[in-house]
Amino acid sequence: MFDEIMPNRLDRGFEKYQEEIEAAALRVLRSGWYVLGPEVSAFEEAFARYTGSGYCVGLASGLDALWLAFRVLGIGSGDEVIVQGNTYIASVMGITINGATPVLVEPDEFYNIDADKIEEKITEKTKAILVVHLYGQASNMDKIVNLCRKYDLRLVEDCAQSHGAAAGGKVTGTFGDIGCFSFYPSKNLGAFGDAGAIVTDNEEYARAMRMYRNYGSEKRYYNKVVGANSRLDELQAAMLRVRLAHMEEITAERREIAARYTELLHNGKLILPAVREGVTHVWHQYVIRTDCRRELIAYLEERGIGTIIHYPVPPHLSEAYGYLGYRKGDLEITEKYADTVLSLPMYNGMTREEQMRVIRCLNEF
Ligand SMILES: *Cc1c(COP(=O)(O)O)cnc(C)c1O
């Protein structure tokens, strides 16, 4: 019998920096200061530096980063936001929570928005493009940035999966008005609970975001706008600081695992992920495609190997977004991807032995 190989192992990522993480957590527990204190400020400073942004504002989650970004930009009811069809549903919720309408565009072969299909979707109501750097690969930013300039659109980036990925040497999250990050435990930079942040070069946006995350107040008990409770807490910030300091290593390890898959997988039934010229990939997921997905999942399962589908139901076909009125067949490429993608086991601390077993099984399939 084999030990099971799971699609993700968060314990491995913890063990690697266990001592440092535990020391940081203890420091906060003993400090008596738990919300919006020195650890959050220090993390915000470090993450702004990491992305090369003027400002970072820590928040409670990636979804909050998205919805508050559109809130700060004044995008809401009656406005349209362009976003790719094949994304995690949170990207779309960040738009619709504000009352704005998502306009869905098909993806390219790299699973990011097809920049050539955006212009035809722009109307007088279009206010912004939300770019999702899905699976960790930076999108085709030159074209998108030009479209935003041409039509005076705001540009928001969903970087929940792309910490440190770059296009043309520029880090994702810094191309537009606001970059939105999640530090959910399974993300490349993961906390030990929910956490998120935005980055921006615009001082006004950063200031507004700090207000919105704290009930719409700058001065305690004097509320200027109807805000949220979306504060990053000290404990998460302290532990994130540890991981952020090791981010180069964390990303390098994921790249090494991805490179080994790409080098050693040889099976005509599998379509391996490709990387666009001029961009980098930080491999939040290693996503293959196959027309025999059901059989492959069962085959791997019998051999103790777990996989995940990111994502089986595209937002436009989800029950939640039935009201948008999309039908099956409206987004053919998005739907084809939803029916054929499969994420292979990929995590920091994955051993070479574990990966070789996955590769052998996939080649035998
Ligand atoms: C995880 C994720 C989010 C949401 O982040 P949370 O911190 O879970 O709210 C948004 N968009 C994408 C693409 C994600 O992967």
Side-chain angles (χ1 to χ4, degrees), residues 60-66 87-91 132-135 158-161 180-184 186-187 194-196 284 311:
S61 75
L63 174 61
D64 284 5
L66 290 162
T87 182
Y88 183 50
I89 201 158
S91 314
V132 187
H133 306 289
L134 200 70
Y135 304 145
D158 182 340
C159 307
Q161 305 188 357
C180 302
F181 289 83
S182 166
F183 309 120
Y184 183 75
S186 65
K187 309 295 187 186
D194 281 304
H284 176 59
Y311 301 89

Side-chain angles (χ1 to χ4, degrees), residues 136-154:
Q137 176 165 197
S139 303
N140 190 359
M141 293 313 293
D142 280 349
K143 279 193 182 160
I144 296 169
V145 167
N146 282 335
L147 281 173
C148 287
R149 283 209 190 105
K150 183 170 168 192
Y151 293 96
D152 190 25
L153 305 177
R154 305 277 68 75

